[in-house]
Amino acid sequence: MSTLWQARRLPRVQNRDGDHRNSYQRDKARVLHSAAFRRLQAKTQVLGVGQSDFYRTRLTHSLEAAQIGTGIAAQLQGKYPAAATLLELDSTLIETLCLAHDIGHPPFGHGGEIALHYMMHEHGGFEGNGQTFRIVTQLEPYTADHGMNLSRRSMLGLVKYPNFIDTLTNPYCHGRTSHSLRTVKASDWHPPKGLYQCDAAMFEWVLAPFSQSDRDNFMQFETGENQHGKTCHKSFDCTIMELADDIAYGIHDLEDAIVMEMVDKSAFIEQVVLPLQRLGATGLSTQIMPLAERLFSPQQHERKNAIGALVNAFITAIDICELPLFDHPLLRFQARLPEVFEHALSLFKRFVYKQVIQQSQVQVLEYKGQQIVMALFEAYSSDPLRLLPENTRLRWEAAQQEDNGARIIADYISGMTDEFASRLYSTLFIPKHG
């Protein structure tokens, strides 16, 4: 399995003396040294960058997810040695996926994503995970035309939603376009989660080792009334990465909310502790009340110990299951939380979403970011040859031959940090600035 999955779209032409790293170690280095990864230090995770020096950015979230991911890999190698050997489970590969999983997210979190999808909905849409795939396969200038040129297995692991936005889009889920960008309602413009049609050739290359049956099943999606299509499957490595991401979001972002005094103990007990006690999650339901006491303790070390205990409870609960639908091991095997622990983690995630993300002060920042991104897109689209920087302008001119210039503008804006986008907005629209 190694040869096919460690292959790169552009064969390696420079062999360096004394370089004994394996393929996934080189992939990790390419992610770590990329500009897209560095920019995560100035992109919003939950709370706006610059409001405090304590809470997490996209970068620190990704580092924590990577640490959790390697912990999950070690746990599974111990619990399922035969499956881990068959799957050639590699902790560096999982770490790489977790480090890279958010590099496609635009400035201002989901506000920026909504804004770009609204501006791009007639040009193939925009979605953060699809942008991640585009960055690693095309945009990051490690090579001339193939982005980071990661190994095939790394690219497969980064595909969280294996189908195309054009296929998954239900036009009835979108609201009406507005004459004024200020009246665009975020809830009307959530993007379907998938890849861009213009990146289909690279996706085909990634899937090449699978049988046609496995490819068709892998790309299956569900549809519901007034909902976008939702893909059904992920590769084995991707399931580990997603679990690490969910645990980091549900538990570590909770710590930020507690320290910033955005949530109180009574709400946590009512919405998380009491439902969790009724679940009967072994080792967690009986311990959640004392853990809650430590989470809200004025002693910082008590809170840290509680966070560590919660993360450990979820990591150690993860197991491996098989889906008989697939022939290939990378699709047949899946890492998963048992249903009771999956429900438990959803309590934490829902609490963070309801008590933090939906707070008006956070939503005001998302709305503000949404307006900045839409205004920048509108300006650059109005006169790209005049306003775009030279390198981006050359890419835009080349893309115009395929009527894909809007995608280049979306690439440019999505790569901005929160601060850079804000400064650019001020330079363009505030008379005495810049």
Side-chain angles (χ1 to χ4, degrees):
M1 191 162 67
S2 295
T3 304
L4 272 174
W5 291 103
Q6 292 184 17
R8 300 179 190 276
R9 188 70 178 86
L10 181 67
R12 196 176 183 207
V13 293
Q14 292 182 340
N15 290 312
R16 296 174 180 141
D17 293 340
D19 186 354
H20 299 296
R21 295 173 300 170
N22 67 30
S23 186
Y24 305 129
Q25 289 169 330
R26 287 195 291 272
D27 285 354
K28 176 185 171 183
R30 293 178 189 190
V31 170
L32 278 173
H33 295 296
S34 68
F37 182 73
R38 289 196 300 277
R39 290 189 186 109
L40 295 178
Q41 67 185 307
K43 288 191 177 186
T44 294
Q45 168 63 9
V46 173
L47 303 171
V49 172
Q51 291 190 304
S52 167
D53 59 2
F54 172 81
Y55 55 71
R56 288 153 174 87
T57 64
R58 287 273 178 191
L59 180 66
T60 56
H61 161 75
S62 298
L63 292 171
E64 288 177 334
Q67 180 63 31
I68 293 170
T70 55
I72 295 172
Q75 177 74 12
L76 294 179
Q77 285 166 334
K79 286 171 72 173
Y80 302 94
T85 301
L86 172 66
L87 292 159
E88 298 175 9
L89 176 57
D90 187 289
S91 60
T92 304
L93 166 65
I94 301 302
E95 185 179 12
T96 301
L97 300 181
C98 294
L99 290 171
H101 80 281
D102 264 355
I103 60 175
H105 280 261
F108 308 111
H110 291 291
E113 186 178 51
I114 294 288
L116 283 174
H117 182 60
Y118 175 78
M119 304 305 285
M120 286 291 294
H121 74 275
E122 294 182 348
H123 308 283
F126 181 90
E127 198 270 327
N129 298 284
Q131 191 68 18
T132 293
F133 186 76
R134 185 166 170 80
I135 287 171
V136 300
T137 58
Q138 289 190 55
L139 300 182
E140 186 64 35
Y142 189 90
T143 61
D145 300 307
H146 296 291
M148 295 186 196
N149 195 34
L150 301 181
S151 64
R152 179 184 264 122
R153 184 161 173 177
S154 290
M155 288 197 284
L156 175 69
L158 287 170
V159 178
K160 291 178 70 172
Y161 308 104
N163 210 312
F164 300 103
I165 287 177
D166 289 355
T167 304
L168 300 169
T169 296
N170 178 353
Y172 297 104
C173 294
H174 287 154
R176 294 181 180 178
T177 55
S178 174
H179 294 297
S180 169
L181 296 180
R182 294 190 177 184
T183 62
V184 173
K185 193 174 179 181
S187 59
D188 288 341
W189 292 98
H190 287 291
K193 295 182 181 295
L195 304 173
Y196 307 142
Q197 193 67 51
C198 57
D199 298 329
M202 184 55 73
F203 184 51
E204 282 293 316
W205 181 83
V206 172
L207 299 187
F210 296 135
S211 67
Q212 188 61 52
S213 172
D214 273 359
R215 285 187 229 179
D216 292 341
N217 288 328
F218 187 49
M219 294 178 68
Q220 284 180 354
F221 61 94
E222 300 172 340
T223 56
E225 188 177 355
N226 295 324
Q227 291 182 333
H228 292 303
K230 184 178 180 181
T231 57
C232 303
H233 303 294
K234 295 173 175 63
S235 67
F236 172 72
D237 302 318
C238 187
T239 59
I240 298 178
M241 176 262 279
E242 186 165 52
L243 284 168
D245 184 23
D246 285 349
I247 293 170
Y249 167 69
I251 307 302
H252 286 298
D253 288 358
L254 171 64
E255 181 184 13
D256 283 356
I258 292 171
V259 174
M260 300 294 289
E261 298 182 346
M262 299 182 74
V263 297
D264 60 54
K265 184 177 172 183
S266 60
F268 182 75
I269 289 174
E270 180 184 348
Q271 296 176 39
V272 179
V273 173
L274 296 179
L276 192 49
Q277 286 179 328
R278 294 191 291 268
L279 273 180
T282 306
L284 185 58
S285 292
T286 56
Q287 293 298 314
I288 188 60
M289 185 59 84
L291 286 174
E293 296 293 337
R294 290 157 66 187
L295 275 174
F296 288 87
S297 168
Q299 302 296 321
Q300 292 188 27
H301 69 278
E302 292 281 7
R303 185 174 62 249
K304 282 293 182 188
N305 286 335
I307 292 290
L310 288 170
V311 170
N312 180 71
F314 286 109
I315 288 177
T316 54
I318 294 169
D319 56 24
I320 293 178
C321 67
E322 283 191 67
L323 297 179
L325 181 68
F326 295 103
D327 297 320
H328 198 285
L330 286 180
L331 302 182
R332 192 169 75 248
F333 290 94
Q334 305 273 287
R336 67 167 188 185
L337 277 169
E339 187 176 350
V340 65
F341 277 89
E342 186 178 1
H343 189 178
L345 183 57
S346 72
L347 291 172
F348 285 92
K349 290 166 60 182
R350 196 156 54 237
F351 181 76
V352 171
Y353 180 76
K354 183 177 179 181
Q355 297 293 323
V356 181
I357 293 176
Q358 287 192 318
Q359 275 198 21
S360 61
Q361 65 192 87
V362 175
Q363 288 303 309
V364 165
L365 289 174
E366 279 203 9
Y367 175 81
K368 182 179 180 180
Q370 176 184 319
Q371 295 304 310
I372 290 172
V373 169
M374 288 192 296
L376 291 177
F377 194 101
E378 185 179 50
Y380 285 120
S381 298
S382 70
D383 200 344
L385 294 176
R386 180 185 184 191
L387 297 176
L388 288 173
E390 183 178 2
N391 286 342
T392 307
R393 176 171 53 79
L394 293 174
R395 290 184 58 238
W396 182 86
E397 289 179 307
Q400 278 296 93
Q401 298 174 15
E402 301 175 2
D403 194 27
N404 203 29
R407 179 63 62 196
I408 305 304
I409 296 173
D411 289 341
Y412 177 54
I413 295 175
S414 70
M416 296 177 183
T417 63
D418 295 16
E419 179 60 27
F420 183 84
S422 297
R423 287 203 312 269
L424 199 55
Y425 178 92
S426 297
T427 300
L428 283 170
F429 301 115
I430 297 179
K432 292 188 177 182
H433 193 280

